[in-house]
Amino acid sequence: MKKAEEIIRMMNQAGAEGSPFVFGLDFELCRGFFIPNPLKQQEVLFDFRGFSNCRPRATTSSMYRFDKYPETQAEYARRFSIIREGLLRGDSFLTNLTIQTPIETDLSPEEIFHRSDALYKVYVPGTFVCFSPERFVKIKESVISSNPMKGTIDAHIPDAETKILSDYKELSEHYTIVDLIRNDLSMVATQVRVERFRYIDRIETSNGPILEVSSEIKGNLPSDWKNRLGEIIRTLLPAGSISGAPKEATLKLIRRAEAAPRGFYTGISGYFDGKSFDSAVLIRFIDLESSPYVYRSGGGITVNSSLKDEYNEVVKKVYLPF
């Protein structure tokens, strides 16, 4: 592992040289990893929308054990109340609150990585395995884009898509995140615009299918963006969808409520192939530095949030995507 500032510098240099790399940065911007010539190594496994250093493996059995031991609603309520008080004071309009859930499984982290059906997957032995559905930013031909994901519902609920799209709390939350990401991109890009607003993705999970609501925001970068790739990414961190708005005051609220660093959870990871860049928010995440392993999950809280609903959502998000 390296210090975050060293990784930012290495990203700038590799970008300017057009040299491929894979990287990761933690939520607190304290540490991370940088892998030059990533396709030539097998220590850290990754698959970012098909850019991968590993081949799919056939599974010998569909049977496996996956037990989760979430905190009680009463325990969650203590942190929820800290966030709600901050929202009522006006410290934040939207805050992402996360929990840690101990898990037990007879699958190895490498097996989980290979079995997972996800847009972005990364496995760092002894550190984490992540199977994320959410892009952080993509850069191609000087266009930067982001697809913040905010809003989840059980796909089995009758008229689930209509319900999630018409829910006032979910709509308010999504507006806030889209506005935040638009402002973030405006710090590094021009002509920032919302290309798609609140579209639906269906995701298959071990708990059954869910629907996730996302939007797409784009902007134009200067032609020399590769020379400042690391600096551009640092300017945008932490990701708005897993922090909240406004960022600085919301991060203070998160630290009070969660009372522990997130580490790589809700950090970012991605790749540069020499021409284009893509990255993911590290959600749907198993922390391998804990014993037993800990699954990290979270959700956005607003003044309109229901304690019971938010608790049920973060527990339901503890799943394997297969």
Side-chain angles (χ1 to χ4, degrees):
M1 295 293 169
K2 302 179 184 295
K3 291 183 178 180
E5 284 303 312
E6 183 178 359
I7 292 168
I8 299 302
R9 179 187 60 77
M10 296 172 78
M11 290 173 69
N12 286 337
Q13 181 176 345
E17 296 172 351
S19 301
F21 64 83
V22 161
F23 79 104
L25 289 166
D26 70 355
F27 180 73
E28 288 81 18
L29 278 178
C30 291
R31 62 174 180 155
F33 57 89
F34 182 93
I35 305 169
N37 301 311
L39 298 179
K40 296 182 179 181
Q41 59 85 41
Q42 289 290 300
E43 180 181 357
V44 172
L45 301 180
F46 60 87
D47 187 334
F48 300 118
R49 290 179 177 258
F51 184 84
S52 176
N53 65 340
C54 55
R55 296 179 180 176
R57 292 187 183 180
T59 56
T60 57
S61 172
S62 61
M63 302 297 293
Y64 62 90
R65 182 171 64 88
F66 181 72
D67 299 320
K68 55 186 179 183
Y69 306 95
E71 63 183 40
T72 65
Q73 183 172 309
E75 292 173 311
Y76 179 78
R78 180 183 60 80
R79 279 188 285 277
F80 182 88
S81 66
I82 293 173
I83 299 299
R84 183 165 174 76
E85 288 169 7
L87 293 166
L88 292 173
R89 283 195 306 269
D91 297 345
S92 175
F93 305 113
L94 169 66
T95 303
N96 185 268
L97 177 62
T98 75
I99 66 169
Q100 303 184 45
T101 300
I103 60 168
E104 292 180 354
T105 180
D106 54 3
L107 297 172
S108 71
E110 187 171 355
E111 285 179 299
I112 292 173
F113 170 86
H114 284 291
R115 285 194 183 204
S116 294
D117 180 13
L119 294 175
Y120 302 90
K121 301 192 297 183
V122 59
Y123 168 48
V124 182
T127 306
F128 69 86
V129 59
C130 179
F131 29 90
S132 177
E134 182 174 357
R135 170 174 282 152
F136 176 51
V137 294
K138 174 184 177 180
I139 306 176
K140 185 176 182 179
E141 298 177 350
S142 296
V143 175
I144 186 169
S145 59
S146 183
N147 300 76
M149 181 176 287
K150 191 61 64 177
T152 305
I153 192 171
D154 186 338
H156 286 139
I157 293 174
D159 298 319
E161 182 171 340
T162 300
K163 281 185 168 64
I164 190 73
L165 291 177
S166 60
D167 184 281
Y168 176 76
K169 177 262 179 184
E170 297 289 354
L171 177 61
S172 299
E173 184 177 331
H174 204 91
Y175 265 122
T176 300
I177 283 300
V178 167
D179 191 51
L180 173 62
I181 300 303
R182 186 169 52 190
N183 289 339
D184 280 356
L185 292 187
S186 294
M187 293 190 292
V188 298
T190 59
Q191 299 180 30
V192 176
R193 66 271 185 191
V194 178
E195 292 280 332
R196 289 187 291 169
F197 184 67
R198 299 189 85 206
Y199 61 88
I200 297 287
D201 288 318
R202 181 184 174 98
I203 299 173
E204 301 296 331
T205 82
S206 54
N207 293 334
I210 60 174
L211 302 182
E212 298 268 15
V213 185
S214 299
S215 288
E216 182 177 32
I217 303 127
K218 289 185 176 181
N220 298 336
L221 291 175
S223 59
D224 67 344
W225 65 269
K226 294 176 187 176
N227 300 337
R228 301 182 294 109
L229 179 54
E231 295 167 24
I232 289 170
I233 297 306
R234 178 176 55 186
T235 299
L236 300 174
L237 291 172
S241 64
I242 44 68
S243 52
K247 271 190 185 179
E248 185 175 349
T250 299
L251 289 172
K252 292 179 181 178
L253 201 55
I254 287 172
R255 285 192 286 269
R256 281 189 56 215
E258 296 183 4
R262 290 185 179 179
F264 279 103
Y265 173 57
T266 66
I268 63 167
S269 184
Y271 76 93
F272 176 67
D273 65 5
K275 296 181 179 179
S276 302
F277 175 87
D278 199 3
S279 57
V281 181
L282 292 174
I283 58 174
R284 313 301 190 262
F285 180 101
I286 299 176
D287 184 349
L288 305 178
E289 295 182 298
S290 301
S291 182
Y293 295 154
V294 168
Y295 197 115
R296 307 291 296 264
S297 62
I301 311 297
T302 72
V303 290
N304 298 307
S305 294
S306 156
L307 168 61
K308 181 180 179 181
D309 290 347
E310 296 297 339
Y311 173 75
N312 289 338
E313 179 179 324
V314 294
V315 172
K316 191 172 183 60
K317 283 180 177 176
V318 180
Y319 68 80
L320 298 177
F322 49 83

